[in-house]
């Protein structure tokens, strides 16, 4: 299916109705449906919204709200979760699947200019590997001041979905003004209002032709190391990954990956912890720090989805 540039569209979540007929009647040619968030949420209305969009001949896309901040390992897990959620909801490979990267609700955009871009790429690479066309959604300020967005567009080209609302005399405009829209390269879709035509839904306009199909599409070659994992003596699964962790506060280094394990040291804000593996268990994400004489130290880097520092 194909939609010409300068076409109107909407994005919906569980805050909106399942029946998109009124939006289609108002002129929406495509719908971007929230399918998932983090690693534990799927939009309960997604299947109904997608079915309604298709029944109204709207080009249908999906999006995932990120909670991975600047963690590449978490981004890969969320990318796979988004793909599973999209397929379950009825969005097939060959469709667009966006990463919604905002501040709040468990996600931090202040984890490093380069590190944030690397994590976003890890998510997008995962989505692209599954046959989807990736998009990156955020506001202009975040993508210009907190993320090295050129890393993303350098690989995926025109893939940005930008939220930017114009106000005149304190009043937000509901019709797109292309003489005002802040200049940015590689924008595919512009979200210009949060109440399009008084339908309580975000309004978007495409800046390029949008095209989807039901088959995997050609995509950039993604070079990723083979995922290697192992199970330790406590029965926990570990995934090999080399990286650096910078704590926000003092964190204990322990003899084992348990909060009851003996403390063998500490790290504080400003320290750099080099790690070679991570594991998620007991409500925490642990990293393994190589130490002298072939020994290891273990420390918590994340509780649930809340990071205790930044990653590189």
């Amino acid at each position: 299916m194909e939609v010409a540039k300068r076409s109107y569209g909407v994005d919906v979540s569980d805050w909106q109705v399942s029946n998109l007929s009124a939006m289609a009647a108002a002129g929406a040619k495509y719908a971007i449906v929230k399918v998932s968030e983090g690693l534990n949420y799927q939009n309960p209305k997604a299947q109904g919204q997608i079915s309604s969009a298709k029944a109204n001949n709207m080009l249908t896309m999906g999006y995932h709200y990120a909670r991975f901040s600047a963690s590449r390992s978490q981004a890969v897990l969320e990318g796979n979760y988004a793909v599973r959620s999209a397929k379950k909801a009825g969005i097939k490979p060959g469709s667009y699947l966006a990463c919604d990267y905002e501040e709040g609700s468990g996600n931090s955009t202040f984890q490093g200019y380069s590190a944030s871009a690397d994590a976003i790429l890890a998510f997008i690479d995962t989505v692209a590997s599954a046959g989807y066309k990736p998009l990156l959604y955020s506001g202009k300020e975040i993508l210009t001041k907190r993320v090295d967005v050129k890393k993303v567009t350098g690989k995926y080209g025109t893939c940005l979905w930008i939220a930017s609302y114009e106000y005149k005399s304190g009043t937000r405009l509901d019709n797109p003004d292309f003489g005002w829209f802040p200049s940015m390269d590689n924008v595919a879709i512009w979200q210009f209002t949060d109440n399009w035509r008084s339908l309580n839904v975000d309004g978007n306009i495409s800046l390029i032709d949008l095209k989807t199909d039901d088959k995997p599409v050609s995509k950039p070659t993604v070079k990723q190391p083979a995922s290697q994992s192992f199970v330790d003596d406590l029965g926990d699964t570990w995934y090999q990954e080399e990286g650096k962790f910078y704590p926000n506060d003092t964190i204990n280094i322990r003899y084992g990956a348990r909060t009851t394990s003996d403390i063998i040291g500490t790290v504080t804000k400003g320290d750099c912890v080099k790690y070679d593996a991570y594991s998620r268990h007991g409500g925490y994400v642990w990293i393994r720090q190589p130490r002298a004489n072939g020994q290891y130290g273990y420390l918590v880097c994340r509780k649930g989805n809340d990071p205790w520092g930044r990653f590189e």
Side-chain angles (χ1 to χ4, degrees):
M1 186 173 182
E2 187 168 356
V3 171
K5 65 181 180 180
R6 300 295 176 94
S7 294
Y8 289 104
V10 295
D11 58 273
V12 296
S13 66
D14 61 347
W15 290 100
Q16 279 76 42
V17 296
S18 296
N19 188 339
L20 308 189
S21 298
M23 301 172 197
K29 301 298 183 183
Y30 54 92
I32 313 172
V33 179
K34 181 175 183 178
V35 295
S36 52
E37 179 173 337
L39 289 172
N40 56 10
Y41 173 83
Q42 293 179 333
N43 174 13
K45 294 182 180 178
Q47 289 180 322
Q49 290 168 334
I50 290 166
S51 295
S52 179
K54 291 180 178 179
N56 283 280
N57 201 34
M58 301 166 75
L59 183 147
T60 310
M61 310 178 234
Y63 76 89
H64 168 91
Y65 189 97
R67 288 183 183 172
F68 54 74
S69 300
S71 169
R72 290 170 295 175
S73 57
Q74 177 79 6
V76 171
L77 294 174
E78 290 194 28
N80 286 318
Y81 184 70
V83 167
R84 293 194 300 271
S85 301
K87 290 180 178 178
K88 177 181 176 182
I91 298 177
K92 300 180 180 180
S95 304
Y96 293 94
L97 185 55
C99 172
D100 181 348
Y101 191 77
E102 302 179 56
E103 180 65 27
S105 297
N107 192 64
S108 172
T109 62
F110 292 93
Q111 300 294 304
Y113 187 70
S114 181
S116 295
D118 290 340
I120 290 169
L121 273 173
F123 177 95
I124 288 178
D125 284 346
T126 303
V127 166
S129 294
Y132 289 88
K133 296 180 176 182
L135 295 171
L136 170 60
Y137 171 88
S138 195
K140 181 186 178 183
E141 182 174 350
I142 290 176
L143 292 187
T144 54
K145 296 182 179 179
R146 306 179 203 170
V147 177
D148 186 0
V149 73
K150 290 185 178 179
K151 278 190 175 183
V152 179
T153 58
K155 185 170 186 178
Y156 288 97
T158 304
C159 64
L160 302 182
W161 171 21
I162 299 297
S164 186
Y165 306 157
E166 181 183 10
Y167 292 83
K168 286 186 177 179
S169 301
T171 302
R172 174 183 39 73
L173 302 184
D174 287 332
N175 295 309
D177 178 1
F178 286 96
W180 170 85
F181 180 60
S183 177
M184 279 188 74
D185 295 330
N186 298 302
V187 178
I189 301 172
W190 171 23
Q191 184 188 89
F192 63 90
T193 178
D194 60 0
N195 189 16
W196 185 62
R197 300 186 176 174
S198 299
L199 291 171
N200 190 34
V201 67
D202 295 334
N204 302 269
I205 193 161
S206 57
L207 305 189
I208 62 171
D209 295 340
L210 301 172
K211 183 178 180 180
T212 64
D213 54 60
D214 290 338
K215 298 180 295 183
V217 296
S218 60
K219 54 188 181 294
T221 300
V222 180
K223 295 182 178 179
Q224 293 180 322
S227 177
Q228 296 183 339
S229 63
F230 59 92
V231 178
D232 65 14
D233 293 339
L234 297 176
D236 299 320
T237 301
W238 290 80
Y239 300 90
Q240 294 182 354
E241 176 187 83
E242 293 187 357
K244 297 177 181 178
F245 174 67
Y246 297 85
N248 290 333
D249 207 336
T250 301
I251 301 175
N252 293 324
I253 304 174
R254 297 182 180 272
Y255 181 76
R258 289 289 189 277
T259 55
T260 54
S261 297
D262 291 341
I263 299 173
I264 59 176
T266 59
V267 292
T268 61
K269 185 176 181 179
D271 289 341
C272 174
V273 180
K274 294 182 179 180
Y275 65 94
D276 67 355
Y278 72 91
S279 176
R280 178 183 291 271
H281 59 267
Y284 299 94
V285 177
W286 294 81
I287 53 177
R288 187 177 75 169
Q289 178 196 44
R291 298 173 70 87
N293 301 319
Q295 301 298 309
Y296 296 98
Y298 300 86
L299 62 152
V300 172
C301 65
R302 185 184 292 269
K303 182 177 181 180
N305 287 317
D306 298 324
W308 287 8
R310 65 181 177 88
F311 300 84
E312 288 185 3

